[in-house]
Amino acid sequence: MKKERSVINLPNRTITRLSLYYQFLSQILHTKKFISSKELSQHLGFTSSTIRKDLAFFGQFGTSGKGYEISKLYKNLEKILGIEKEWNVIVIGCGNLGAALLKYPRFKKLRFNIIAGFDISKKIVGKKINDIKIYHLNSLKNFVKRNKVDIAVISVPQEAAKSTIDYAVSCGVKGILNFTPTTVNIPSDKCKILKIDLTIEFLKLACLLSNKRYDNTKK
Amino acid sequence: MKKERSVINLPNRTITRLSLYYQFLSQILHTKKFISSKELSQHLGFTSSTIRKDLAFFGQFGTSGKGYEISKLYKNLEKILGIEKEWNVIVIGCGNLGAALLKYPRFKKLRFNIIAGFDISKKIVGKKINDIKIYHLNSLKNFVKRNKVDIAVISVPQEAAKSTIDYAVSCGVKGILNFTPTTVNIPSDKCKILKIDLTIEFLKLACLLSNKRYDNTKK
């Protein structure tokens, strides 16, 4: 009987875990041959049993006493996640955060190639950051027509976020990583948008640190 | 009967949702008076019923036809999350990403005050970025003794991550936001560490875009 296991029907948190396994393996790929679920657990903070279950679901089983063969598991996770190819990324908004992303060394390792930046400031447009050319935003439509653009990073000021995202979608961008706090409702068949909010982890850590018990009987 | 509702025993994803509600409300705090679970749902992507359940768990109920009173809900979420105070933050590693964080305008709004930066590069130490002084890392111990430091952001190069985190903990830092991909095992009673990995969202988006069905019968 043929069984299909679809990653896209998995809960978001399972995809997150698979991404974390993959990302961790990318770091140790050439340093060792095998890794056990216990070692993965120590590095990633999930239980060994969660890790074994996740991987067994996709037909990945470790060898008793040795664990998983790293290079094989890495290749298979790549297939499971459907990310075997190179991804062309553009960065829209090349101010402080955008410029830091243009210089971020780890994207290339995971085959996210930043091919261009876009901005509207005269101070930046026409320059290069980390050898990546910054174009004026009004040339985006033409650029998307002539180049394969997989993902656009949105790192513009908050007040420009909605119009910039609408414009990028109208230019044919199909995947967006939104670094602004603005939420935009775009049908997911038109463009897939994920949001990264740097402040959320700060709030979560503050919550853990405050370690406060909330008593809802005291109003 | 007295019921205690402890936020610290909640699953991580519930704390994430509560943080997202709080963060979203901080943006609309002075623009309107009421918000319904339906509107929250449209902005945040969770179902109305999830939102209502989350908030009812902490004794927060909307008024029929009107929804939740924003300023009240905001204040209460602050209490629930235990984050009513100001948080003093330092940034260790003030290169590209660190410098962008020093300039990030939204931290202050949520009362995360960056009070100092630390680095080892002669080019940066002694300077100011966004009016925040950058000290040499070897003055960290003294600084932590003399100032209230709640959270240290680690944005050093990957190869320096482990030693820097160990050093920060030895200096008495109790909360760390680790922007490097390195995982460090520190007992959580000594220091609480959360990791922010910018590449994980890229991998997740790539996975969504590839939209690939994984057939585990084909090996």
Side-chain angles (χ1 to χ4, degrees):
Chain A
M1 203 175 82
K2 201 175 153 185
K3 273 198 286 179
E4 281 226 332
R5 299 285 164 88
S6 165
V7 76
I8 55 165
N9 291 330
L10 287 178
N12 202 15
R13 54 185 183 279
T14 310
I15 297 181
T16 302
R17 281 201 304 275
L18 295 176
S19 303
L20 284 166
Y21 305 154
Y22 176 76
Q23 199 264 104
F24 177 67
L25 293 179
S26 79
Q27 289 175 59
I28 55 162
L29 197 54
H30 302 294
T31 62
K32 54 190 281 179
K33 208 163 170 213
F34 285 91
I35 192 158
S36 67
S37 55
K38 199 179 157 192
E39 285 169 281
L40 279 169
S41 163
Q42 281 161 353
H43 282 287
L44 297 168
F46 309 116
T47 65
S48 309
S49 112
T50 300
I51 294 169
R52 279 195 304 269
K53 258 188 248 164
D54 278 347
L55 297 177
F57 181 80
F58 290 102
Q60 306 300 306
F61 300 98
T63 312
S64 165
K66 275 183 168 179
Y68 300 93
E69 194 179 329
I70 291 171
S71 62
K72 213 172 131 188
L73 185 57
Y74 180 76
K75 275 278 158 216
N76 283 337
L77 277 170
E78 207 162 72
K79 250 192 265 172
I80 290 166
L81 289 166
I83 50 173
E84 307 105 310
K85 58 171 209 155
E86 307 242 327
W87 297 88
N88 284 349
V89 178
I90 60 172
V91 173
I92 303 179
C94 300
N96 300 319
L97 184 60
L101 294 172
L102 287 169
K103 292 173 192 164
Y104 198 59
R106 289 181 52 235
F107 291 139
K108 209 155 208 165
K109 219 174 168 178
L110 296 165
R111 285 178 302 186
F112 294 99
N113 303 319
I114 303 184
I115 55 169
F118 291 85
D119 208 292
I120 53 168
S121 160
K122 274 182 194 168
K123 280 184 203 159
I124 312 178
V125 171
K127 288 198 176 152
K128 282 187 173 185
I129 298 178
N130 194 24
D131 231 22
I132 298 159
K133 183 125 185 233
I134 315 301
Y135 300 89
H136 195 285
L137 188 58
N138 63 20
S139 65
L140 181 63
K141 197 163 205 151
N142 254 326
F143 189 90
V144 174
K145 252 186 215 163
R146 287 186 202 156
N147 299 274
K148 199 175 87 40
V149 172
D150 298 302
I151 293 171
V153 170
I154 307 291
S155 45
V156 298
Q158 184 175 352
E159 55 276 17
K162 198 189 165 319
S163 60
T164 307
I165 291 173
D166 286 343
Y167 178 61
V169 174
S170 79
C171 290
V173 169
K174 296 287 177 207
I176 283 180
L177 270 179
N178 177 12
F179 274 81
T180 81
T182 303
T183 310
V184 184
N185 289 317
I186 308 271
S188 74
D189 56 332
K190 229 178 171 186
C191 180
K192 303 219 179 324
I193 304 186
L194 286 187
K195 215 162 112 172
I196 302 189
D197 193 317
L198 299 179
T199 62
I200 290 300
E201 299 300 317
F202 280 81
L203 287 172
K204 278 162 70 178
L205 183 59
C207 174
L208 284 173
L209 288 168
S210 78
N211 198 10
K212 209 183 157 178
R213 293 195 146 258
Y214 177 72
D215 177 358
N216 81 338
T217 59
K218 285 181 202 153
K219 292 254 170 70
Chain B
M1 204 178 78
K2 202 174 153 186
K3 272 196 286 176
E4 280 227 331
R5 298 285 163 88
S6 165
V7 75
I8 55 164
N9 292 330
L10 288 177
N12 201 15
R13 53 183 183 279
T14 310
I15 298 181
T16 303
R17 282 201 302 274
L18 294 176
S19 304
L20 285 165
Y21 305 154
Y22 176 76
Q23 199 264 103
F24 177 68
L25 293 179
S26 79
Q27 290 175 55
I28 55 163
L29 197 53
H30 303 294
T31 60
K32 54 191 281 180
K33 212 167 167 218
F34 285 91
I35 191 156
S36 67
S37 54
K38 198 179 158 190
E39 284 170 281
L40 280 169
S41 162
Q42 282 161 350
H43 282 287
L44 296 169
F46 309 116
T47 64
S48 309
S49 116
T50 300
I51 293 168
R52 280 195 303 270
K53 259 188 246 164
D54 278 346
L55 297 176
F57 181 80
F58 291 100
Q60 307 299 307
F61 300 98
T63 313
S64 164
K66 274 184 169 180
Y68 300 93
E69 196 179 328
I70 291 170
S71 63
K72 213 172 131 189
L73 185 58
Y74 180 75
K75 277 275 160 221
N76 284 337
L77 277 171
E78 205 159 73
K79 252 192 262 171
I80 290 166
L81 289 166
I83 48 170
E84 306 106 312
K85 57 170 209 153
E86 306 242 327
W87 297 89
N88 283 348
V89 178
I90 60 172
V91 174
I92 303 179
C94 301
N96 300 320
L97 184 60
L101 294 171
L102 288 168
K103 294 174 192 162
Y104 198 60
R106 290 182 51 236
F107 292 139
K108 210 156 208 163
K109 219 174 170 180
L110 296 165
R111 286 179 302 186
F112 293 99
N113 302 320
I114 302 184
I115 56 170
F118 292 85
D119 208 291
I120 53 167
S121 159
K122 276 183 190 164
K123 281 185 202 159
I124 312 177
V125 171
K127 290 198 175 152
K128 283 186 173 187
I129 297 177
N130 195 24
D131 230 22
I132 298 159
K133 184 128 183 231
I134 314 301
Y135 299 89
H136 194 282
L137 188 59
N138 62 21
S139 65
L140 180 62
K141 196 161 205 152
N142 256 325
F143 188 92
V144 173
K145 255 186 211 162
R146 287 185 201 153
N147 301 274
K148 201 175 85 42
V149 172
D150 298 303
I151 292 172
V153 169
I154 308 290
S155 44
V156 298
Q158 183 174 353
E159 54 277 16
K162 197 188 166 322
S163 61
T164 307
I165 292 174
D166 286 341
Y167 179 61
V169 174
S170 79
C171 290
V173 168
K174 296 287 178 207
I176 282 179
L177 270 179
N178 177 13
F179 275 81
T180 80
T182 302
T183 310
V184 184
N185 289 315
I186 308 271
S188 74
D189 55 333
K190 231 179 169 185
C191 180
K192 301 220 182 322
I193 304 186
L194 287 186
K195 215 162 113 173
I196 301 189
D197 193 318
L198 300 178
T199 60
I200 291 298
E201 299 301 313
F202 280 81
L203 286 172
K204 277 162 71 180
L205 182 59
C207 174
L208 285 171
L209 288 168
S210 78
N211 200 9
K212 206 183 159 174
R213 294 195 147 258
Y214 177 71
D215 178 357
N216 80 338
T217 58
K218 284 180 203 153
K219 292 254 170 68

